[in-house]
């Protein structure tokens, strides 16, 4: 295990009926709250009323900013920054999933910036301060409720880039598993894929040769996510399954499972960002397309670890590492198919003829993320394995 610093200051308030505490928590940071949310789902399932009632009881002024997309876009976020400045908000409260939270994080940083907020995403500028961010989670997938990252798509050029800073880490996140009961089955499946990919990328792409503790953390969380997802798809209001899922996805990408693993990289996310930027597909759906193809591409380099995953997760008994690795990849792909997440470009309606265009788009992010081995040609080769 290599040297690392792990600090996660987010206060988690977990459990049934805890959304009513959001007003008192927000009041610790300011009196005027920008309420960021997506479409009308939180009004249909009652979460909007719970949140606004709590804010009112705490004596807070609420400025609403609805309309965050499932793949958040810069143009909408810029409107949020302008509104936050106009109303002089002091706190940003996200009620939603990762896309809503990422929108809120970008607004929180953008309000304090005296330059183009996109400069944060291209690393021309670093975030020096931000408004306090709080969240009420309604879709468990990205772990944005307990990490310091956010993603955003700039429509000009269809670039989906990311930022990372302790200044945008949520101060408080409320996780009520009942908020997940009304999720469509497809998004429950996409959530599982997202969390699995978050863990598997550092699991395979790191500089630490001996990591039994971290490997077992990943494998245990992955088994739990898969088992609980299967229950959720049959019984969406199964409280314990939703609770386990909500907590497992939070820990999948908050720094714990990759601590001590040295330098890590996220090439699958890098490629998927182009799929969701260009075609506006769900992030989890894009990951289930790219991940198996990338695994096949990297088999020679990662045969030992792929074989380990196959044996630990899918109980593959094959002794030959390459054969075990191939079996594991196919079983993971079959599981994605079984829960309803696409595993090919064709299944998502993405033309094979677009592979070069997608690769060109992804290669730009590969440069920003300094993934030097992922040229346009290499990315296209991986995508051809995803047909």
């Amino acid at each position: 295990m290599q040297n690392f610093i792990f600090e996660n200051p987010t206060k988690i308030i977990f459990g049934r009926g805890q959304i009513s505490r959001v007003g008192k928590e927000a009041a610790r940071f300011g009196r005027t709250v920008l309420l960021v949310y997506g479409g009308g789902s939180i009004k249909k399932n009652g979460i909007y009323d719970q949140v606004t009632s709590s804010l009112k009881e705490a004596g807070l002024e609420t400025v609403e900013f609805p309309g965050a997309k499932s793949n958040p876009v810069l143009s909408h976020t810029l409107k949020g920054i302008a509104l936050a400045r106009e109303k002089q908000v002091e706190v940003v409260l996200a009620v939603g999933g990762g896309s809503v939270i990422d929108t809120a994080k970008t607004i929180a940083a953008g309000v304090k910036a005296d330059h183009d907020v996109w400069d944060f995403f291209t690393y021309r500028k670093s975030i020096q301060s931000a408004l306090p961010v709080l969240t009420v989670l309604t879709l468990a997938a990205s772990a944005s409720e307990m990490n310091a990252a956010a993603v955003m798509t700039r429509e000009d050029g269809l670039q989906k880039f990311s930022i990372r800073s302790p200044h945008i880490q949520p101060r408080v996140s409320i996780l009520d598993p009942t908020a997940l009961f009304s999720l469509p089955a497809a998004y429950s499946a996409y959530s599982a894929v997202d969390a699995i990919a978050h863990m598997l990328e550092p699991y395979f792409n790191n500089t630490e040769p001996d990591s039994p503790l971290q490997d077992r953390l990943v494998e245990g969380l992955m088994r739990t996510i898969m088992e609980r997802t299967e229950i959720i798809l049959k019984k969406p209001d199964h409280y314990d399954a939703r609770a386990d899922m909500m907590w497992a996805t939070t820990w999948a990408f908050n720094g714990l499972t990759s601590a001590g693993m040295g330098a890590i990289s996220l090439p699958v996310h890098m490629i998927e960002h182009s799929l969701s930027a260009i075609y506006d597909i769900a992030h989890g759906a894009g990951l289930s397309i790219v991940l198996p193809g990338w695994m096949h591409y990297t088999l020679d380099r990662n045969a030992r670890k792929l074989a380990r995953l196959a044996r630990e997760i899918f109980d593959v008994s094959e002794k030959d590492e390459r054969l075990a690795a191939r079996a594991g990849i196919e079983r993971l792909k079959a599981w994605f198919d079984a829960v309803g997440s696409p595993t090919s470009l064709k299944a998502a309606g993405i033309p094979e003829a677009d592979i070069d265009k997608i690769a060109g788009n992804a290669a730009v992010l590969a440069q920003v993320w300094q993934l030097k081995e992922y040229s346009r040609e290499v990315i296209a080769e991986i995508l051809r394995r995803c047909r």
Side-chain angles (χ1 to χ4, degrees), residues 205 265 267 294 297-298 301 366 370-379:
N205 300 298
S265 60
W294 176 85
Y297 168 78
T298 193
R301 181 177 61 196
Q370 298 183 7
L371 300 178
K372 296 178 181 179
E373 66 179 283
Y374 288 92
S375 64
R376 180 173 183 157
E377 293 73 24
V378 167
I379 295 169

Side-chain angles (χ1 to χ4, degrees), residues 165-202:
S165 168
H167 295 293
I168 60 171
Q169 175 116 9
R171 307 292 183 88
V172 180
S173 286
I174 297 179
L175 280 60
D176 181 343
T178 65
L180 307 180
F181 285 178
S182 59
L183 270 183
Y187 276 87
S188 293
Y190 300 154
S191 299
V193 176
D194 196 358
I196 288 169
H198 281 153
M199 294 186 293
L200 289 188
E201 292 227 67

Side-chain angles (χ1 to χ4, degrees), residues 49-65:
D49 289 339
Q50 293 180 59
V51 170
T52 53
S53 294
S54 180
L55 295 174
K56 185 177 180 180
E57 287 174 9
L60 303 181
E61 179 184 351
T62 302
V63 178
E64 295 195 22
F65 185 61

